[in-house]
Amino acid sequence: MVPLMSLWLPILLSAVIVFVASSVIHMMLSYHKSDFARVPDEDGVRAALREFSIPPGDYMVPCPADTKEMSSPEFIAKQNEGPVVWMTVLPNGPWNMGRSLTQWFLYSLVVSYIAAYVGSRAVGPGADYLDVFRFVGTTAFCCYSLALAQIAIWYARKWSSIFKSMFDGLVYALLTAGTFGWLWPG
C-alpha cells in the first residue's frame, strides 16, 4: 500500500495536465461545435422567453406536478402538442469563466485524488508502470466519463455529444494514468 500523502505530486500534476488538455480540446479543436444547435428564429424565442423573467435553474416543459399527472390525458395532450423541452437557464450576462474553470480544476483534483486512492490500495511502492496505469486510468475514466451516459438516457441529450465528451474523458484518464505511472513512488 502506498501512502496517499506520497502521491501529492502526481495528484496535482495530473489535474494541471488535464486542465491544460481540456483547454486545448475546447479552444483549439472543433469537434464539440456540433453539440448544440440553434433554435429557429432564435431572436423570437429569446424575446418570447425574456418576458417571463425565468430565474436561473433547470426546467421541464410541460412539467407534471406528480407521477399521476404524467398519465393524465391533459398532460399527454400537452406533450403531443409540444414543444417538449428540458432547459437550463443561466444568469443574464457573460459566463463567469473564472468560476467554471476553478470548479473544473477542483473537480480534476478530486478525480486525481480518487484515482490515487484506488491505485494506492491496488498496487504497492515500486509497482510496474502498466499496473499503476491500469488501475489509475480505469478509475479516472470512470470518474470523467461513465456518468455522462445518464444525461443521454434521462434527458435526451444527443449520444454523439455524450460520446465526444466520453472520448475527452478517456484522454483525461490516459493523461492521469501516465502521470501516475511516471511519478509512482519506488
Side-chain angles (χ1 to χ4, degrees):
M1 195 161 65
V2 174
L4 276 173
M5 285 304 296
S6 68
L7 298 174
W8 70 268
L9 182 58
I11 291 170
L12 181 61
L13 186 58
S14 63
V16 169
I17 290 169
V18 164
F19 185 85
V20 171
S22 72
S23 297
V24 169
I25 286 171
H26 288 91
M27 292 189 309
M28 296 180 156
L29 304 178
S30 61
Y31 63 90
H32 280 288
K33 288 192 187 288
S34 62
D35 288 354
F36 292 94
R38 285 184 171 218
V39 295
D41 187 17
E42 180 179 303
D43 291 337
V45 171
R46 288 177 52 245
L49 289 174
R50 191 177 304 113
E51 74 178 70
F52 296 103
S53 298
I54 302 170
D58 295 320
Y59 298 93
M60 176 181 170
V61 178
C63 185
D66 53 38
T67 54
K68 183 179 177 187
E69 185 182 345
M70 287 177 74
S71 59
S72 72
E74 297 81 13
F75 184 78
I76 293 169
K78 287 179 184 180
Q79 287 185 304
N80 288 331
E81 180 182 59
V84 177
V85 178
W86 301 88
M87 68 179 180
T88 299
V89 176
L90 304 175
N92 292 346
W95 284 334
N96 184 343
M97 288 300 289
R99 180 173 185 242
S100 295
L101 291 171
T102 299
Q103 289 176 348
W104 171 243
F105 181 71
L106 292 174
Y107 174 74
S108 296
L109 275 174
V110 169
V111 170
S112 292
Y113 181 83
I114 292 168
Y117 175 79
V118 171
S120 72
R121 298 310 180 252
V123 296
D128 182 61
Y129 176 92
L130 288 178
D131 287 336
V132 173
F133 190 96
R134 183 178 68 230
F135 282 102
V136 170
T138 300
T139 304
F141 177 75
C142 290
C143 291
Y144 282 121
S145 296
L146 292 184
L148 295 170
Q150 296 176 53
I151 299 169
I153 293 167
W154 293 107
Y155 300 108
R157 181 90 184 264
K158 294 186 302 187
W159 277 102
S160 61
S161 296
I162 298 302
F163 288 139
K164 287 184 276 186
S165 292
M166 290 176 90
F167 174 77
D168 296 348
L170 175 62
V171 171
Y172 307 151
L174 294 173
L175 292 169
T176 300
T179 303
F180 275 85
W182 166 45
L183 296 172
W184 197 255

